[in-house]
Amino acid sequence: QRIREITFGLMPNTLVRKGLVKTVEEFIPKAQRIVSISINFHCDPLPQLPPETEVNLYRIIQEVVHNVIKHAKATTLDLSITVKGDRLALAARDNGCGFDFEKTLSSHPGLGLKNLMSRVEVMHGDFRIQTTPGKGVQYLFTIPITQVQTTPL
């Protein structure tokens, strides 16, 4: 069972077969079983995205959920993916304890925030975080949408 969980975490079969939205919808109940948290997820209809974009978005969602479970002491997490023109926005907001972003980034050896930033950079996107101790965290990731190109037969 543990090997299956690890394998799912590395490259969920659902991501390949069913796409990003279904994979996130399957991931959320698993995360909610770890700790008592209400995770709400909304997603606009998405164009077909390149597989590497879907993987990076999924990894960002996993990292955000992991951070909330491990650090935030939150009871709710709202996740949404919206499409505006040629940009996709992934937003996350929790009602947890918040933190000092600059202090955490410079003093903690963990890779969580750095991984988030590098994944967004790889997709040529933007990452914004708004947090204050005691006020929760709001993440906003925006990336350009590059649709999968199909070659005519």
Side-chain angles (χ1 to χ4, degrees):
Q1 180 63 29
R2 183 69 185 128
I3 290 172
R4 285 185 186 171
E5 289 173 9
I6 291 168
T7 303
F8 181 84
L10 292 174
M11 180 52 135
N13 198 18
T14 307
L15 191 58
V16 175
R17 289 182 297 113
K18 297 180 182 177
L20 178 65
V21 176
K22 291 290 183 193
T23 304
V24 173
E25 289 172 345
E26 288 183 11
F27 170 69
I28 288 172
K30 292 176 184 182
Q32 288 175 311
R33 284 195 292 270
I34 295 170
V35 67
S36 180
I37 187 170
S38 173
I39 302 175
N40 306 301
F41 175 61
H42 165 77
C43 186
D44 285 353
L46 297 177
Q48 186 176 5
L49 301 170
E52 59 274 8
T53 300
E54 287 194 341
V55 169
N56 279 312
L57 288 169
Y58 179 66
R59 294 286 176 242
I60 289 170
I61 290 168
Q62 280 185 309
E63 187 65 41
V64 167
V65 170
H66 177 262
N67 288 348
V68 170
I69 288 171
K70 187 174 180 182
H71 304 292
K73 300 179 183 119
T75 57
T76 62
L77 171 62
D78 295 315
L79 295 166
S80 66
I81 301 174
T82 55
V83 177
K84 292 182 180 159
D86 64 348
R87 309 264 316 157
L88 181 145
L90 167 59
R93 175 189 295 219
D94 71 53
N95 68 343
C97 61
F99 62 96
D100 181 320
F101 178 72
E102 293 301 325
K103 182 179 174 184
T104 300
L105 195 58
S106 65
S107 67
H108 281 37
L111 295 174
L113 289 172
K114 292 171 187 156
N115 281 342
L116 292 175
M117 292 172 11
S118 70
R119 286 189 185 280
V120 172
E121 186 179 316
V122 162
M123 295 186 289
H124 307 288
D126 298 307
F127 169 49
R128 292 200 172 95
I129 186 168
Q130 185 176 2
T131 181
T132 306
K135 305 267 183 177
V137 180
Q138 294 178 57
Y139 299 90
L140 179 61
F141 308 89
T142 52
I143 61 163
I145 296 173
T146 53
Q147 297 181 8
V148 173
Q149 301 296 317
T150 54
T151 51
L153 297 176

